[in-house]
């Protein structure tokens, strides 16, 4: 045996030993997670116990990223631990996560990124259906899109919060990569129609005009639906993501055709329980102000006075009357923080209505 073969054999034996240690430690962690669940159930025998704690998981993942020794990146190490935690949590009771479907959408990718792959993902046809599924208790949490870096806010999601009792429990950002795909063996030059969601067409407009000008573009309900149609209809293609390509067995004709390489969509996690502080949080509110001069100033001035940073403000028509508006506001901090409490108290004095949508950890992954 050569020196190289001897060295490789030694390294492989070492890897085998490390794999056994990793497996033993993961098993020990899983048993510890089971004990945590048993303690919670014993302390609350007559109540529904929430095993998933968003603030606790955010703290764990932040610590993993901060103390990661390498050579794997902090992001990659946190993803590995995300899956370990997901599997441990599922030992007691796998969570049902509702998302804007069908299967293969970017929203499903966001749900799996946030919760890991050991959950039961439930595709639903519309954003309001996701809200209803969580409100009824049929799903533990829901995942809905709220904002795209290119196309702006998803108004339907914002409007649902006006009437829903649900809380925002978390957020996740997903880099959106669009690919042109078709059934295996499709002649690129024979394609006469491209399916996709209208937002995806908007996000790929420049590329399509330059490379597929004149080909019919048909908007459908989702990119996953576009992929399904492309798989079934000869001479057609779809714009969709990796998950849809894999699910429907399509081949990529062109990769990453989005016009902006930083194209990102932000998704919200919605649930029935308020989230405790994690140490690095964001809050969201809905505010209806009286229609009078200086109303916007009165709304924003307390944030400046108490040094609270705004991250988003949007205006939506109020369902209560013509030319009345509701402000959707995201800002840094938790509602239990002293300075945030002062801001909300000041706003409450001037507002017609102040609805606290929730405080939640700023996305870690």
């Amino acid at each position: 045996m050569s020196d190289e073969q001897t060295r490789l054999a030694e390294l492989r034996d070492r890897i085998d030993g490390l794999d056994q240690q990793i497996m033993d430690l993961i098993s020990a962690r899983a048993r510890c997670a089971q004990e945590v669940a048993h303690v919670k159930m014993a302390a609350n025998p007559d109540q529904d116990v929430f095993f998933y704690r968003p603030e606790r998981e955010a703290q764990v993942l932040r610590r993993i990223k901060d103390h990661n020794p390498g050579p794997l990146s902090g992001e990659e190490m946190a993803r590995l631990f995300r899956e370990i935690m997901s599997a441990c949590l599922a030992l007691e009771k796998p969570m049902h996560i509702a998302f804007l479907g069908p299967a293969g959408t970017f929203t499903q990718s966001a749900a799996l990124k946030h919760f890991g792959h050991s959950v039961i993902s439930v595709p639903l046809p519309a954003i309001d259906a996701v809200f209803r599924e969580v409100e009824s208790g049929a799903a533990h949490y829901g995942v809905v899109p709220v904002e795209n870096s290119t196309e702006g806010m998803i108004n339907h999601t914002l409007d649902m919060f006006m009437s829903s009792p649900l809380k925002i429990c978390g957020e996740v950002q997903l880099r959106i990569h669009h690919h042109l795909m078709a059934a295996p063996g499709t002649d690129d030059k024979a394609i006469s129609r491209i399916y996709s969601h209208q937002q995806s067409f908007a996000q790929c407009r420049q590329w399509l005009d330059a490379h597929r000008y004149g080909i019919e573009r048909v908007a459908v309900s989702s990119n996953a639906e576009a992929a399904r149609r492309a798989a079934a209809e000869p001479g057609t293609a779809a714009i969709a993501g990796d998950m849809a390509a894999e699910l429907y067995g399509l081949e990529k004709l062109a990769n990453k055709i989005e016009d902006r390489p930083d194209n990102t969509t932000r998704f919200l996690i919605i649930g029935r329980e308020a989230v405790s502080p994690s140490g690095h949080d964001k809050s969201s509110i809905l505010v209806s102000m009286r229609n009078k001069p200086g109303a916007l100033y009165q709304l924003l001035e307390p944030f400046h006075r108490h040094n609270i940073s705004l991250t988003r403000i949007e205006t939506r028509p109020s369902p209560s009357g013509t030319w009345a508006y509701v402000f959707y506001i995201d800002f840094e901090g938790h509602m239990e923080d002293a300075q945030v409490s002062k801001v909300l108290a000041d706003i409450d004095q001037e507002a017609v209505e102040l609805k606290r949508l929730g405080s939640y950890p700023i996305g870690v992954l």
Side-chain angles (χ1 to χ4, degrees):
M1 183 180 291
S2 67
D3 291 344
E4 178 187 358
Q5 291 174 322
T6 300
R7 181 58 178 154
L8 286 174
E10 291 173 350
L11 289 171
R12 286 165 180 160
D13 287 342
R14 185 182 177 191
I15 287 173
D16 290 344
L18 289 170
D19 286 345
Q20 184 62 51
Q21 292 179 44
I22 292 170
M23 187 162 55
D24 291 342
L25 288 170
I26 291 175
S27 297
R29 191 191 192 286
R31 287 190 291 271
C32 188
Q34 284 181 313
E35 291 181 25
V36 169
H38 296 158
V39 169
K40 287 184 176 181
M41 288 188 292
N44 302 276
D46 300 323
Q47 301 178 20
D48 289 333
V49 178
F50 282 78
F51 299 112
Y52 173 70
R53 301 306 309 176
E55 72 281 5
R56 167 63 179 161
E57 296 213 348
Q59 290 167 347
V60 171
L61 292 175
R62 284 190 208 122
R63 187 175 68 249
I64 295 299
K65 292 179 73 173
D66 290 343
H67 294 85
N68 173 47
L72 292 178
S73 69
E75 188 87 3
E76 193 63 38
M77 187 66 75
R79 291 184 199 279
L80 292 173
F81 271 82
R82 165 70 278 170
E83 293 299 334
I84 291 172
M85 289 190 288
S86 179
C88 291
L89 191 63
L91 284 173
E92 286 303 320
K93 188 176 183 181
M95 288 193 297
H96 288 70
I97 308 299
F99 68 92
L100 178 62
T105 60
F106 288 114
T107 310
Q108 184 179 23
S109 296
L112 296 179
K113 179 181 180 182
H114 186 83
F115 290 100
H117 286 69
S118 296
V119 297
I120 298 171
S121 51
V122 182
L124 293 169
I127 288 173
D128 54 335
V130 176
F131 274 79
R132 288 195 300 270
E133 192 82 353
V134 180
E135 288 173 12
S136 70
H140 295 91
Y141 293 93
V143 182
V144 290
V146 70
E147 174 183 6
N148 178 265
S149 59
T150 302
E151 297 301 305
M153 300 299 288
I154 311 321
N155 291 331
H156 192 183
T157 297
L158 298 185
D159 293 343
M160 285 302 302
F161 283 115
M162 294 185 192
S163 58
S164 175
L166 295 181
K167 303 289 186 182
I168 302 176
C169 302
E171 66 172 4
V172 56
Q173 295 189 21
L174 189 70
R175 288 292 294 273
I176 303 298
H177 294 304
H178 295 299
H179 315 296
L180 183 68
M181 57 189 69
T186 298
D187 182 359
D188 196 343
K189 295 181 180 179
I191 293 173
S192 60
R193 180 181 301 138
I194 300 174
Y195 291 112
S196 194
H197 189 274
Q198 60 182 3
Q199 279 206 345
S200 298
F201 279 133
Q203 292 165 17
C204 304
R205 184 182 299 112
Q206 294 177 20
W207 188 93
L208 288 169
D209 289 346
H211 298 90
R212 297 296 187 277
Y213 184 79
I215 295 179
E216 182 184 12
R217 304 172 194 178
V218 179
V220 293
S221 58
S222 70
N223 289 343
E225 171 63 15
R228 186 193 68 79
R229 292 196 184 193
E233 299 179 22
T236 66
I239 296 174
D242 291 313
M243 183 175 285
E246 182 177 350
L247 181 64
Y248 293 100
L250 301 180
E251 291 182 349
K252 297 177 185 176
L253 303 178
N255 288 296
K256 297 181 179 179
I257 65 172
E258 61 274 6
D259 297 329
R260 290 180 53 177
D262 61 345
N263 185 23
T264 301
T265 296
R266 176 174 169 241
F267 300 83
L268 295 178
I269 314 302
I270 54 175
R272 300 185 300 278
E273 296 290 311
V275 178
S276 299
S278 73
H280 191 42
D281 300 295
K282 182 185 291 186
S283 297
S284 299
I285 58 175
L286 282 175
V287 185
S288 177
M289 297 294 288
R290 295 177 179 85
N291 189 6
K292 63 178 184 179
L296 182 59
Y297 172 82
Q298 290 178 328
L299 172 59
L300 299 181
E301 190 275 335
F303 290 99
H304 173 72
R305 180 160 31 94
H306 294 289
N307 199 30
I308 300 297
S309 178
L310 296 179
T311 59
R312 167 67 66 178
I313 179 168
E314 289 288 329
T315 306
R316 296 295 302 144
S318 171
S320 62
T322 305
W323 307 119
Y325 294 92
V326 174
F327 296 94
Y328 171 88
I329 302 175
D330 291 337
F331 55 91
E332 293 181 359
H334 195 282
M335 292 186 194
E336 294 183 12
D337 297 344
Q339 292 300 98
V340 173
S341 296
K342 293 176 183 177
V343 170
L344 297 181
D346 289 348
I347 294 174
D348 216 3
Q349 291 181 354
E350 299 293 338
V352 175
E353 182 181 5
L354 168 61
K355 186 173 184 179
R356 294 164 170 82
L357 300 182
S359 296
Y360 46 94
I362 291 175
V364 180
L365 291 177

